[in-house]
Structures are given as C-alpha cells and as structure tokens.
Amino acid sequence: MLKHSKIIITLLMVLPLAVTVAALFFLPDEMPAHYNVQGEVDRWGSKYEMLIFPIFIPIFGLGMSAAAHVASHGAGANESTAKAIVCANIAVLAMFDVMGLYFLINSALVAGGRDGLRVDISNVMCIAMGVVFIPTGLYMPKLKRNALSGVRTKWSMKNDAAWAASQRFGGAAFIAAGVIDILVGIFVPGIYSILTGLGVLLLAGVAMAVYSRRAYEKTQGGEGK
C-alpha cells in the first residue's frame, strides 16, 4: 500500500467538512442552493445545506478505502489493484475537495451580493476530471488481472496477454482523454465543457472495449480461452 496513504486520504476526507463547519459561523442564514445552466441562482436555501457535499466526500472515501482493503486482504488478494484503488481514491477526493472549495467560496460571494467566481464550475470539473485521468492512465499498465479495476471486459478477462494489452491501450486512452479534457476545460465555455469532456470519456471507453476484443482475438489459444 502507498506510504502515508491513510493520512492523505483522511485529510482529504475531513478537510472540506472542517472548513465548511468553520465557515458556517460567518455565512448568512440563506445561501444559494442551486444554479441553472447559465450559472444563475434559481433556488436559495439554508446555509446548512452547504454541509451536504462535504458529508458525501468522506462517505465516498470510506467506500473506496473498503474496496482497497478487500483487494489487498480478500480472496485472490492483488496488491496492484489495491494500489490502483488507493491512487484513484486520492485523486478523486482531491477533485471533490477543489469542487467543494469552489462551491463554498462562490456561494459566499453571491450571498454577500457580489459577483461569483469568474471561472465556471463546469470548466473546473472538466479540468479536474482530466487531471484525475492522467495518473490513472499512467498506472493502468501495471495492473494485474482482477475484477475491480482496469479495462475489464469479457475479452480482457480471458487471458493475461489480452489483459496486459488492454491495460496498455486503456492507459494511453485515459492519458489522452485527460489531456483533451484539460484543454476543453480551458477553452470551451460553461456547460459545454463538461458535456464535451464526458463525450471524450465515452469515446475512450468505447475505444477500450473495441481494442480489448481485438487484443483477445490476437491471443486466442492462450491462457484462459
């Protein structure tokens, strides 16, 4: 398991909640609770609704940590899978923390009668998604065959050769998607950025599935046929 990963994960889970709780003492009772696609407030609510997202973050983190524990201690324990889950947990939690901080600062500005942050949350999410994809892609070729992480299709799971080829291609696809999503987040405005980013992810997923079938067809007769 990654050194100090438990400390990093704990901090990433607890920090947004701690910051939000401290901020509640200074926030007005009524806060923006929902925005439309133009980024305009279309519902106001209690400031305590600001706790919803920070409470979700540790729930997600604990779930991922449980999956990593199962991967490293359960039947068919696989250390590479556990490390991949831990890395993904840290990356996604960091992304959630950035989003949570954005929501908190933007809502506080709007509630105070000022303009919100000039950067659209859709752009922030698209860039953060791209940042998560790149380290994920870098690690994927190291994964051993497992049922929890990586390019898992009925073809890639057939044998180790098909699995290895699928992970190499999947890693390259994730890195490419990450770079594209970062560029999209920078240059494509508003909601169109996140929609484009999700479209890039969908295309990468289809490409990985198609390639895994071709990889299996090239290795027919190998282990697990």
Side-chain angles (χ1 to χ4, degrees), residues 122-123 125-130 133 173-174 176-185 188-205:
S122 296
N123 295 94
M125 291 172 64
C126 191
I127 293 171
M129 188 166 59
F133 288 166
F174 260 94
V179 172
I180 293 172
D181 277 359
I182 290 172
L183 294 174
V184 167
V188 178
I191 189 66
Y192 300 106
S193 65
I194 194 65
L195 293 176
T196 303
L198 291 173
V200 170
L201 178 59
L202 178 60
L203 289 175

Side-chain angles (χ1 to χ4, degrees), residues 74-106:
N78 189 321
E79 192 65 22
S80 69
T81 302
K83 287 182 179 180
I85 295 174
V86 169
C87 290
N89 195 11
I90 291 173
V92 175
L93 286 173
M95 179 181 71
F96 285 163
D97 285 6
V98 171
M99 291 170 57
L101 183 61
Y102 176 96
F103 291 142
L104 181 62
I105 295 175
N106 189 71

